[in-house]
Amino acid sequence: MSASPVHPRLRRALAPLVAAALLLPLFPALATAAPSSPAAECAPPAAPVVPGARVLSVTAEAKPPGVVEEPWFPPLAYPAACEIKVTLTHPGVNDKVLVQAWLPKAGWNGRFQGVGGGGYAMGNFTFGLASALAQGYAAATTDGGVGEDGLNPSSWALGPDGRVNKELLTNFSSRSLHDLAVAGKAVTAAHFGRPADFSYWNGCSTGGRQGLMNAQRYPADYDGILAAAPAISMPRFLVADLWGQVVMNQEKTRPSLCEFEAFQRAAVAACDTKDGVADGVLEQPLRCGFDPAKLIGTKIQCDGKEITISRAAAEVVRKIWAGHPAWFGLPKGAPFSVVGDAEPNPIADNWVRYFVEQDPKFDLKSVDYREFNRIAAKSPALMDRFIATDDPDLSGFRRAGGKMITWHGWSDAIIFAQGTTDYRDRVERRMGGAARVDEFYRVFMAPGVDHCGGGTGPAPVDPLGALVSWVEQGKAPDTLPAAIEDTTRNLCRYPLVSQYDGKGDPKQASSYRCARG
């Protein structure tokens, strides 16, 4: 892996803090369970029974109130808690898996929350647990036995024989998720003297993929699942994330970020008002027909120098927007700062190195179009059975009475949002149409929003609260309240889109309605 700096957007989104933006709502939860009686003293409970695993140790330690400070997020204060650590192993695997729970000393809301991870990190041990604790949840997360490095899986991906470590990959993809649910809920019940009233999963990116895996493989583990910007088809979309690098290498043209931004701005300017208001956000980026060739010959200023947009640069952009035939392309309006960066996305680059080619020295720079076609076919052929969470059969989750919400930003520069809409469409075809699927699974698209938050569009302010209200009060959300600075919007339930009424304040949600696109 290159030692060059990782783009801040990528590190913010794919480091183990990925779920943090979802875990701290701007407004109180829409439904609140009755406060529990005070917790017991902080002492190690009996070892939980975890099917298929052997518990090695259980420890407990009183945790005083504190503050978590992380880049890109305001300081977060959390209350006193009991920290319980369960270390387990799977016989014959020779692994060591940590499940860590934070249980509030007082004010437990009666709920359990499983906290998702980001990139190659299964869990979020700092901001994620603290965010859940601050809202009164008993919360748990796991490392799956693969550590906490969200960008680089080199410490565990390959076994001594140089081949993929299938057991640890199984932990990462699915097995350790069930361990987390079983152990986390068990220590919660032991500590408080009763089980949680409701259990929720909360995650984005890898955490979103984990949410879907829970619904597909372990449908009874959670009453509600928040699976945001989900990494649904990892073997496909991670290879697709490298398409721009191959295009630039093969076309021998590498536009600067400044040039890429010029194409992004031009697309937004050309299609901005299709939703009835000029706000710098594309409501339906897939319907934007802007042709990058229109910018050929245009002069722009980059770092104080005048640059003329070339035909070669326009062709690179056209290919990136079109995408490789095996997957989708970068949506118009989304930033190029990951796919067009000077170095490839390390999550995707390491995926090909370790899980596809199984060669840490593999160099993407040597890959031509034909070779890329081979990699794009090989990745799902090898890895889908382990980690692809794109099974449209959610009948088990529906029978268990679960509810699931997914939201995804249309300007997500890492996990292109078409993967989410495609999955929802396939679930509808498999399970009897939109109306039946809406009874338990709803998707909300966020125009202008980047990966798990950020960007130029309003992001959901409390999607977990909406999920709680649906599970506990039966209030299925038709919209998700969203905000950015002084602008509010109600994100529409897919496939509906937001349309301006033409007369109200364009910065207020009340001036829009949801309609067919």
Side-chain angles (χ1 to χ4, degrees):
M1 174 175 173
S2 170
S4 63
V6 177
H7 192 279
R9 177 180 284 107
L10 185 64
R11 188 169 292 281
R12 168 186 175 271
L14 293 181
L17 301 175
V18 70
L22 298 173
L23 297 168
L24 185 62
L26 300 182
F27 302 111
L30 300 179
T32 303
S36 69
S37 57
E41 292 299 317
C42 186
V49 176
V50 182
R54 179 168 59 90
V55 173
L56 301 175
S57 66
V58 181
T59 64
E61 181 178 354
K63 193 172 187 66
V67 177
V68 176
E69 295 188 14
E70 298 288 353
W72 304 289
F73 297 102
L76 171 65
Y78 59 86
C82 180
E83 178 184 78
I84 296 179
K85 295 181 179 180
V86 178
T87 303
L88 56 86
T89 186
H90 301 95
V93 176
N94 194 32
D95 60 348
K96 187 175 287 186
V97 176
L98 171 66
V99 175
Q100 183 169 312
W102 285 10
L103 311 176
K105 183 177 181 180
W108 180 41
N109 64 14
R111 305 183 181 106
F112 172 79
Q113 183 179 133
V115 177
Y120 293 112
M122 281 203 71
N124 187 328
F125 288 87
T126 51
F127 209 103
L129 288 176
S131 298
L133 187 71
Q135 296 177 61
Y137 285 85
T141 197
T142 182
D143 69 357
V146 301
E148 297 182 53
D149 191 328
L151 297 174
N152 190 340
S154 60
S155 65
W156 62 270
L158 302 179
D161 61 355
R163 312 305 293 173
V164 169
N165 189 326
K166 294 179 181 179
E167 295 290 353
L168 289 183
L169 179 59
T170 297
N171 280 5
F172 174 71
S173 64
S174 57
R175 180 165 53 201
S176 289
L177 294 174
H178 188 52
D179 296 341
L180 161 62
V182 172
K185 288 193 283 188
V187 299
T188 297
H191 182 74
F192 289 106
R194 67 176 182 87
D197 298 315
F198 300 95
S199 58
Y200 296 91
W201 177 264
N202 191 351
C204 189
S205 193
T206 282
R209 177 194 66 76
Q210 293 168 324
L212 288 171
M213 184 65 82
N214 285 322
Q216 293 166 18
R217 299 274 185 94
Y218 314 109
D221 277 358
Y222 294 94
D223 301 297
I225 292 174
L226 179 60
I232 295 175
S233 300
M234 279 186 68
R236 289 172 169 79
F237 88 78
L238 280 178
V239 176
D241 271 6
L242 300 172
W243 172 238
Q245 295 290 325
V246 174
V247 167
M248 290 186 289
N249 289 340
Q250 290 301 295
E251 300 299 322
K252 295 181 173 53
T253 299
R254 188 168 287 272
S256 66
L257 180 58
C258 177
E259 291 174 272
F260 277 130
E261 289 174 345
F263 284 99
Q264 179 188 357
R265 289 193 302 269
V268 171
C271 302
D272 187 9
T273 58
K274 290 183 181 294
D275 62 351
V277 63
D279 58 0
V281 174
L282 300 186
E283 183 70 30
Q284 299 183 76
L286 303 187
R287 294 195 176 185
C288 179
F290 174 74
D291 184 352
K294 291 182 178 179
L295 240 57
I296 296 172
T298 301
K299 298 183 185 301
I300 61 173
Q301 291 292 319
C302 291
D303 298 325
K305 298 179 181 179
E306 185 176 81
I307 294 178
T308 301
I309 299 293
S310 66
R311 184 173 301 277
E315 179 62 10
V316 166
V317 170
R318 185 190 69 79
K319 287 181 180 290
I320 290 174
W321 278 342
H324 184 268
W327 196 242
F328 305 101
L330 181 73
K332 291 186 175 73
F336 289 83
S337 51
V338 174
V339 299
D341 199 10
E343 294 292 334
N345 172 350
I347 303 288
D349 192 30
N350 283 326
W351 174 264
V352 172
R353 290 173 189 261
Y354 291 99
F355 296 103
V356 183
E357 297 303 297
Q358 299 170 62
D359 177 6
K361 297 181 180 179
F362 183 81
D363 189 354
L364 186 70
K365 292 183 176 65
S366 65
V367 173
D368 59 16
Y369 288 136
R370 183 174 180 177
E371 179 74 354
F372 190 80
N373 292 340
R374 181 191 64 80
I375 292 171
K378 182 180 179 182
S379 180
L382 287 177
M383 293 291 114
D384 266 4
R385 65 191 178 98
F386 289 101
I387 202 166
T389 47
D390 50 9
D391 182 356
D393 185 359
L394 296 176
S395 55
F397 186 66
R398 180 173 61 187
R399 285 194 301 270
K403 309 297 182 188
M404 182 160 60
I405 290 176
T406 287
W407 73 267
H408 203 146
W410 268 122
S411 287
D412 192 327
I414 299 169
I415 302 177
F416 307 153
Q418 301 96 305
T420 288
T421 56
D422 175 72
Y423 178 70
R424 165 64 202 224
D425 291 343
R426 289 188 294 108
V427 172
E428 289 181 12
R429 292 194 294 271
R430 176 67 175 79
M431 302 195 64
R436 294 197 66 188
V437 175
D438 278 344
E439 293 173 359
F440 69 94
Y441 176 38
R442 298 194 172 196
V443 170
F444 300 84
M445 304 306 293
V449 178
D450 205 335
H451 189 61
C452 297
T456 59
V461 295
D462 187 11
L464 182 59
L467 180 65
V468 168
S469 182
W470 191 6
V471 168
E472 299 179 20
Q473 299 180 11
K475 297 179 180 178
D478 281 326
T479 59
L480 286 185
I484 182 172
E485 298 178 348
D486 61 348
T487 298
T488 62
R489 192 72 59 86
N490 290 322
L491 302 183
C492 298
R493 174 169 48 88
Y494 177 81
L496 302 181
V497 297
S498 182
Q499 292 186 351
Y500 178 53
D501 65 11
K503 53 187 178 182
D505 183 348
K507 291 189 174 184
Q508 297 301 310
S510 58
S511 302
Y512 297 81
R513 64 183 180 89
C514 294
R516 292 282 174 182

